[in-house]
């Protein structure tokens, strides 16, 4: 969460937006894409972890 807020703060300053909602409306989809990629990578990363086999979690 802290990393997300840091990126938003930097974007607000660089774009000159006075309101955080403006920034989130225009660029919020970027973080959604990053979140989906992260989730996909996490699933592939944890695929072979012991105890996470189908039906045992």
């Amino acid at each position: 969460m802290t990393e997300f807020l840091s990126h938003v703060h930097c974007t607000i300053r660089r774009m000159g937006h006075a309101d955080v909602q403006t920034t989130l409306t225009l660029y919020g989809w970027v973080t959604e894409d990053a979140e989906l990629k992260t989730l996909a990578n996490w699933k592939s990363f944890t695929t072979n972890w012991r105890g996470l086999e189908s039906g045992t979690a």
Side-chain angles (χ1 to χ4, degrees), residues 14-54:
R14 288 183 183 185
M15 302 309 287
H17 298 150
D19 183 14
V20 68
Q21 191 58 50
T22 302
T23 305
L24 292 176
T25 299
L26 292 172
Y27 303 105
W29 63 270
V30 175
T31 58
E32 186 177 332
D33 285 352
E35 180 181 7
L36 292 173
K37 286 179 185 177
T38 300
L39 289 173
N41 289 339
W42 179 253
K43 185 173 182 174
S44 68
F45 177 72
T46 60
T47 299
N48 294 321
W49 283 14
R50 294 179 71 196
L52 293 180
E53 294 85 13
S54 183

